[in-house]
PDB file of all heavy atoms in Angstrom:
ATOM      1  N   SER V 208       0.857  -1.170  -0.018  1.00 97.00           N
ATOM      2  CA  SER V 208      -0.048  -0.076  -0.082  1.00 97.00           C
ATOM      3  C   SER V 208       0.868   1.207   0.094  1.00 97.00           C
ATOM      4  O   SER V 208       2.007   1.297   0.593  1.00 97.00           O
ATOM      5  CB  SER V 208      -0.907   0.050   1.256  1.00 97.00           C
ATOM      6  OG  SER V 208      -1.782  -1.026   1.271  1.00 97.00           O
ATOM      7  N   PHE V 209       0.312   2.302  -0.626  1.00 97.00           N
ATOM      8  CA  PHE V 209       1.122   3.551  -0.555  1.00 97.00           C
ATOM      9  C   PHE V 209       1.381   4.067   0.876  1.00 97.00           C
ATOM     10  O   PHE V 209       2.356   4.728   1.182  1.00 97.00           O
ATOM     11  CB  PHE V 209       0.454   4.536  -1.469  1.00 97.00           C
ATOM     12  CG  PHE V 209       0.929   4.707  -2.876  1.00 97.00           C
ATOM     13  CD1 PHE V 209       0.182   4.218  -3.896  1.00 97.00           C
ATOM     14  CD2 PHE V 209       2.235   5.153  -3.181  1.00 97.00           C
ATOM     15  CE1 PHE V 209       0.601   4.222  -5.152  1.00 97.00           C
ATOM     16  CE2 PHE V 209       2.663   5.145  -4.365  1.00 97.00           C
ATOM     17  CZ  PHE V 209       1.812   4.726  -5.468  1.00 97.00           C
ATOM     18  N   PHE V 210       0.337   3.800   1.814  1.00 97.00           N
ATOM     19  CA  PHE V 210       0.481   4.185   3.113  1.00 97.00           C
ATOM     20  C   PHE V 210       1.786   3.536   3.734  1.00 97.00           C
ATOM     21  O   PHE V 210       2.603   4.119   4.398  1.00 97.00           O
ATOM     22  CB  PHE V 210      -0.704   3.825   3.912  1.00 97.00           C
ATOM     23  CG  PHE V 210      -0.757   4.291   5.355  1.00 97.00           C
ATOM     24  CD1 PHE V 210       0.096   5.309   5.748  1.00 97.00           C
ATOM     25  CD2 PHE V 210      -1.679   3.741   6.270  1.00 97.00           C
ATOM     26  CE1 PHE V 210       0.060   5.723   7.108  1.00 97.00           C
ATOM     27  CE2 PHE V 210      -1.601   4.044   7.575  1.00 97.00           C
ATOM     28  CZ  PHE V 210      -0.847   5.034   8.017  1.00 97.00           C
ATOM     29  N   ALA V 211       1.955   2.204   3.505  1.00 97.00           N
ATOM     30  CA  ALA V 211       3.080   1.536   3.903  1.00 97.00           C
ATOM     31  C   ALA V 211       4.302   2.053   3.302  1.00 97.00           C
ATOM     32  O   ALA V 211       5.335   2.152   4.044  1.00 97.00           O
ATOM     33  CB  ALA V 211       2.938   0.033   3.762  1.00 97.00           C
ATOM     34  N   TYR V 212       4.271   2.317   1.965  1.00 98.00           N
ATOM     35  CA  TYR V 212       5.517   2.736   1.299  1.00 98.00           C
ATOM     36  C   TYR V 212       5.969   4.172   2.042  1.00 98.00           C
ATOM     37  O   TYR V 212       7.129   4.354   2.180  1.00 98.00           O
ATOM     38  CB  TYR V 212       5.142   3.015  -0.153  1.00 98.00           C
ATOM     39  CG  TYR V 212       6.305   3.792  -0.826  1.00 98.00           C
ATOM     40  CD1 TYR V 212       7.486   3.104  -1.081  1.00 98.00           C
ATOM     41  CD2 TYR V 212       6.237   5.068  -1.192  1.00 98.00           C
ATOM     42  CE1 TYR V 212       8.594   3.889  -1.661  1.00 98.00           C
ATOM     43  CE2 TYR V 212       7.196   5.814  -1.774  1.00 98.00           C
ATOM     44  CZ  TYR V 212       8.393   5.203  -2.011  1.00 98.00           C
ATOM     45  OH  TYR V 212       9.438   5.846  -2.656  1.00 98.00           O
ATOM     46  N   LEU V 213       4.943   5.047   2.345  1.00 97.00           N
ATOM     47  CA  LEU V 213       5.353   6.278   2.972  1.00 97.00           C
ATOM     48  C   LEU V 213       6.045   6.118   4.166  1.00 97.00           C
ATOM     49  O   LEU V 213       6.870   6.925   4.600  1.00 97.00           O
ATOM     50  CB  LEU V 213       4.130   7.178   3.112  1.00 97.00           C
ATOM     51  CG  LEU V 213       3.416   7.700   1.857  1.00 97.00           C
ATOM     52  CD1 LEU V 213       2.135   8.389   2.137  1.00 97.00           C
ATOM     53  CD2 LEU V 213       4.237   8.500   0.982  1.00 97.00           C
ATOM     54  N   LYS V 214       5.797   5.052   4.984  1.00 97.00           N
ATOM     55  CA  LYS V 214       6.584   4.712   6.139  1.00 97.00           C
ATOM     56  C   LYS V 214       7.875   4.039   5.813  1.00 97.00           C
ATOM     57  O   LYS V 214       8.816   3.954   6.762  1.00 97.00           O
ATOM     58  CB  LYS V 214       5.693   3.785   7.013  1.00 97.00           C
ATOM     59  CG  LYS V 214       4.506   4.644   7.735  1.00 97.00           C
ATOM     60  CD  LYS V 214       3.647   3.727   8.494  1.00 97.00           C
ATOM     61  CE  LYS V 214       2.699   4.505   9.447  1.00 97.00           C
ATOM     62  NZ  LYS V 214       3.360   5.341  10.524  1.00 97.00           N
ATOM     63  N   LEU V 215       8.118   3.442   4.636  1.00 98.00           N
ATOM     64  CA  LEU V 215       9.248   2.539   4.395  1.00 98.00           C
ATOM     65  C   LEU V 215      10.079   3.236   3.426  1.00 98.00           C
ATOM     66  O   LEU V 215      10.942   2.448   2.788  1.00 98.00           O
ATOM     67  CB  LEU V 215       8.702   1.186   3.990  1.00 98.00           C
ATOM     68  CG  LEU V 215       8.086   0.340   5.078  1.00 98.00           C
ATOM     69  CD1 LEU V 215       7.366  -0.873   4.422  1.00 98.00           C
ATOM     70  CD2 LEU V 215       9.080   0.013   6.205  1.00 98.00           C
ATOM     71  N   GLN V 216      10.060   4.505   3.037  1.00 96.00           N
ATOM     72  CA  GLN V 216      10.851   4.956   1.931  1.00 96.00           C
ATOM     73  C   GLN V 216      12.270   4.920   2.129  1.00 96.00           C
ATOM     74  O   GLN V 216      13.001   4.849   1.120  1.00 96.00           O
ATOM     75  CB  GLN V 216      10.455   6.591   1.820  1.00 96.00           C
ATOM     76  CG  GLN V 216       9.073   6.765   1.416  1.00 96.00           C
ATOM     77  CD  GLN V 216       8.777   8.281   1.336  1.00 96.00           C
ATOM     78  OE1 GLN V 216       9.071   8.926   0.430  1.00 96.00           O
ATOM     79  NE2 GLN V 216       8.045   8.773   2.229  1.00 96.00           N
ATOM     80  N   ASP V 217      12.786   4.867   3.368  1.00 97.00           N
ATOM     81  CA  ASP V 217      14.216   4.665   3.581  1.00 97.00           C
ATOM     82  C   ASP V 217      14.690   3.403   3.106  1.00 97.00           C
ATOM     83  O   ASP V 217      15.909   3.085   2.882  1.00 97.00           O
ATOM     84  CB  ASP V 217      14.501   4.848   5.128  1.00 97.00           C
ATOM     85  CG  ASP V 217      14.398   6.394   5.415  1.00 97.00           C
ATOM     86  OD1 ASP V 217      14.340   7.233   4.562  1.00 97.00           O
ATOM     87  OD2 ASP V 217      14.322   6.641   6.729  1.00 97.00           O
ATOM     88  N   ASN V 218      13.806   2.347   3.091  1.00 98.00           N
ATOM     89  CA  ASN V 218      14.139   0.905   2.868  1.00 98.00           C
ATOM     90  C   ASN V 218      13.845   0.410   1.380  1.00 98.00           C
ATOM     91  O   ASN V 218      14.247  -0.554   0.997  1.00 98.00           O
ATOM     92  CB  ASN V 218      13.473   0.016   3.845  1.00 98.00           C
ATOM     93  CG  ASN V 218      13.916   0.357   5.203  1.00 98.00           C
ATOM     94  OD1 ASN V 218      14.968   0.658   5.582  1.00 98.00           O
ATOM     95  ND2 ASN V 218      12.939   0.144   6.159  1.00 98.00           N
ATOM     96  N   TYR V 219      12.913   1.176   0.647  1.00 98.00           N
ATOM     97  CA  TYR V 219      12.463   0.726  -0.500  1.00 98.00           C
ATOM     98  C   TYR V 219      12.550   1.884  -1.616  1.00 98.00           C
ATOM     99  O   TYR V 219      12.454   3.062  -1.287  1.00 98.00           O
ATOM    100  CB  TYR V 219      11.066   0.306  -0.581  1.00 98.00           C
ATOM    101  CG  TYR V 219      10.809  -1.022   0.132  1.00 98.00           C
ATOM    102  CD1 TYR V 219      10.678  -1.137   1.606  1.00 98.00           C
ATOM    103  CD2 TYR V 219      10.824  -2.256  -0.546  1.00 98.00           C
ATOM    104  CE1 TYR V 219      10.511  -2.335   2.221  1.00 98.00           C
ATOM    105  CE2 TYR V 219      10.686  -3.436   0.128  1.00 98.00           C
ATOM    106  CZ  TYR V 219      10.480  -3.493   1.551  1.00 98.00           C
ATOM    107  OH  TYR V 219      10.421  -4.635   2.095  1.00 98.00           O
ATOM    108  N   ARG V 220      12.733   1.476  -2.864  1.00 97.00           N
ATOM    109  CA  ARG V 220      12.659   2.376  -4.010  1.00 97.00           C
ATOM    110  C   ARG V 220      11.459   2.169  -4.808  1.00 97.00           C
ATOM    111  O   ARG V 220      11.237   1.054  -5.284  1.00 97.00           O
ATOM    112  CB  ARG V 220      13.845   2.311  -4.852  1.00 97.00           C
ATOM    113  CG  ARG V 220      14.011   3.176  -6.048  1.00 97.00           C
ATOM    114  CD  ARG V 220      14.482   4.584  -5.620  1.00 97.00           C
ATOM    115  NE  ARG V 220      14.689   5.448  -6.812  1.00 97.00           N
ATOM    116  CZ  ARG V 220      15.829   5.614  -7.444  1.00 97.00           C
ATOM    117  NH1 ARG V 220      16.862   4.901  -7.033  1.00 97.00           N
ATOM    118  NH2 ARG V 220      15.868   6.394  -8.450  1.00 97.00           N
ATOM    119  N   LEU V 221      10.608   3.183  -4.984  1.00 98.00           N
ATOM    120  CA  LEU V 221       9.386   3.024  -5.764  1.00 98.00           C
ATOM    121  C   LEU V 221       9.710   2.851  -7.203  1.00 98.00           C
ATOM    122  O   LEU V 221      10.570   3.484  -7.828  1.00 98.00           O
ATOM    123  CB  LEU V 221       8.532   4.353  -5.541  1.00 98.00           C
ATOM    124  CG  LEU V 221       7.179   4.414  -6.272  1.00 98.00           C
ATOM    125  CD1 LEU V 221       6.267   3.434  -5.589  1.00 98.00           C
ATOM    126  CD2 LEU V 221       6.717   5.872  -6.179  1.00 98.00           C
ATOM    127  N   LEU V 222       8.911   1.959  -7.900  1.00 97.00           N
ATOM    128  CA  LEU V 222       9.043   1.657  -9.274  1.00 97.00           C
ATOM    129  C   LEU V 222       7.973   2.579  -9.976  1.00 97.00           C
ATOM    130  O   LEU V 222       7.010   2.820  -9.438  1.00 97.00           O
ATOM    131  CB  LEU V 222       8.809   0.218  -9.616  1.00 97.00           C
ATOM    132  CG  LEU V 222       9.957  -0.780  -9.166  1.00 97.00           C
ATOM    133  CD1 LEU V 222       9.608  -2.132  -9.660  1.00 97.00           C
ATOM    134  CD2 LEU V 222      11.256  -0.256  -9.609  1.00 97.00           C
ATOM    135  N   ASP V 223       8.288   2.842 -11.193  1.00 96.00           N
ATOM    136  CA  ASP V 223       7.341   3.706 -11.958  1.00 96.00           C
ATOM    137  C   ASP V 223       6.227   2.864 -12.722  1.00 96.00           C
ATOM    138  O   ASP V 223       5.525   3.437 -13.551  1.00 96.00           O
ATOM    139  CB  ASP V 223       8.173   4.559 -12.939  1.00 96.00           C
ATOM    140  CG  ASP V 223       7.315   5.665 -13.641  1.00 96.00           C
ATOM    141  OD1 ASP V 223       6.561   6.288 -12.854  1.00 96.00           O
ATOM    142  OD2 ASP V 223       7.575   5.970 -14.828  1.00 96.00           O
ATOM    143  N   ALA V 224       6.288   1.656 -12.505  1.00 97.00           N
ATOM    144  CA  ALA V 224       5.289   0.702 -13.290  1.00 97.00           C
ATOM    145  C   ALA V 224       4.641  -0.153 -12.316  1.00 97.00           C
ATOM    146  O   ALA V 224       5.224  -0.635 -11.191  1.00 97.00           O
ATOM    147  CB  ALA V 224       5.953  -0.061 -14.276  1.00 97.00           C
ATOM    148  N   GLY V 225       3.401  -0.543 -12.513  1.00 97.00           N
ATOM    149  CA  GLY V 225       2.724  -1.595 -11.662  1.00 97.00           C
ATOM    150  C   GLY V 225       1.786  -1.065 -10.513  1.00 97.00           C
ATOM    151  O   GLY V 225       1.256  -1.676  -9.756  1.00 97.00           O
ATOM    152  N   ALA V 226       1.826   0.164 -10.525  1.00 96.00           N
ATOM    153  CA  ALA V 226       0.918   0.896  -9.393  1.00 96.00           C
ATOM    154  C   ALA V 226      -0.618   0.777  -9.659  1.00 96.00           C
ATOM    155  O   ALA V 226      -1.082   0.568 -10.743  1.00 96.00           O
ATOM    156  CB  ALA V 226       1.302   2.362  -9.207  1.00 96.00           C
ATOM    157  N   ALA V 227      -1.304   0.781  -8.569  1.00 95.00           N
ATOM    158  CA  ALA V 227      -2.837   0.831  -8.571  1.00 95.00           C
ATOM    159  C   ALA V 227      -3.117   2.296  -8.127  1.00 95.00           C
ATOM    160  O   ALA V 227      -3.075   2.612  -6.970  1.00 95.00           O
ATOM    161  CB  ALA V 227      -3.422  -0.159  -7.633  1.00 95.00           C
ATOM    162  N   LEU V 228      -3.450   3.069  -9.110  1.00 94.00           N
ATOM    163  CA  LEU V 228      -3.669   4.490  -8.825  1.00 94.00           C
ATOM    164  C   LEU V 228      -4.640   5.005  -9.928  1.00 94.00           C
ATOM    165  O   LEU V 228      -4.562   4.700 -11.136  1.00 94.00           O
ATOM    166  CB  LEU V 228      -2.343   5.304  -8.940  1.00 94.00           C
ATOM    167  CG  LEU V 228      -2.277   6.711  -8.715  1.00 94.00           C
ATOM    168  CD1 LEU V 228      -0.852   7.003  -8.113  1.00 94.00           C
ATOM    169  CD2 LEU V 228      -2.408   7.608  -9.934  1.00 94.00           C
ATOM    170  N   GLY V 229      -5.674   5.754  -9.545  1.00 92.00           N
ATOM    171  CA  GLY V 229      -6.620   6.233 -10.467  1.00 92.00           C
ATOM    172  C   GLY V 229      -7.797   7.006  -9.854  1.00 92.00           C
ATOM    173  O   GLY V 229      -7.875   7.275  -8.750  1.00 92.00           O
ATOM    174  N   PHE V 230      -8.703   7.279 -10.725  1.00 93.00           N
ATOM    175  CA  PHE V 230      -9.980   8.048 -10.476  1.00 93.00           C
ATOM    176  C   PHE V 230     -11.101   6.965 -10.348  1.00 93.00           C
ATOM    177  O   PHE V 230     -11.159   5.927 -11.132  1.00 93.00           O
ATOM    178  CB  PHE V 230     -10.279   9.005 -11.483  1.00 93.00           C
ATOM    179  CG  PHE V 230      -9.371  10.209 -11.579  1.00 93.00           C
ATOM    180  CD1 PHE V 230      -8.366  10.175 -12.604  1.00 93.00           C
ATOM    181  CD2 PHE V 230      -9.449  11.228 -10.712  1.00 93.00           C
ATOM    182  CE1 PHE V 230      -7.467  11.226 -12.652  1.00 93.00           C
ATOM    183  CE2 PHE V 230      -8.561  12.268 -10.806  1.00 93.00           C
ATOM    184  CZ  PHE V 230      -7.545  12.261 -11.777  1.00 93.00           C
ATOM    185  N   GLY V 231     -11.955   7.210  -9.407  1.00 90.00           N
ATOM    186  CA  GLY V 231     -13.211   6.315  -9.314  1.00 90.00           C
ATOM    187  C   GLY V 231     -12.913   4.819  -8.719  1.00 90.00           C
ATOM    188  O   GLY V 231     -13.683   3.992  -9.084  1.00 90.00           O
TER     189      GLY V 231
END
């Protein structure tokens, strides 16, 4: 989850593909 990622940014690098993000 992005919530988890925000807490783990020091340990992980976000990828620019594969996300679940959108409208509705």
Side-chain angles (χ1 to χ4, degrees):
S208 300
F209 268 107
F210 186 21
Y212 170 73
L213 293 177
K214 288 180 170 286
L215 292 170
Q216 292 180 75
D217 290 343
N218 301 324
Y219 287 87
R220 180 76 176 270
L221 180 67
L222 293 185
D223 194 36
L228 185 148
F230 294 97

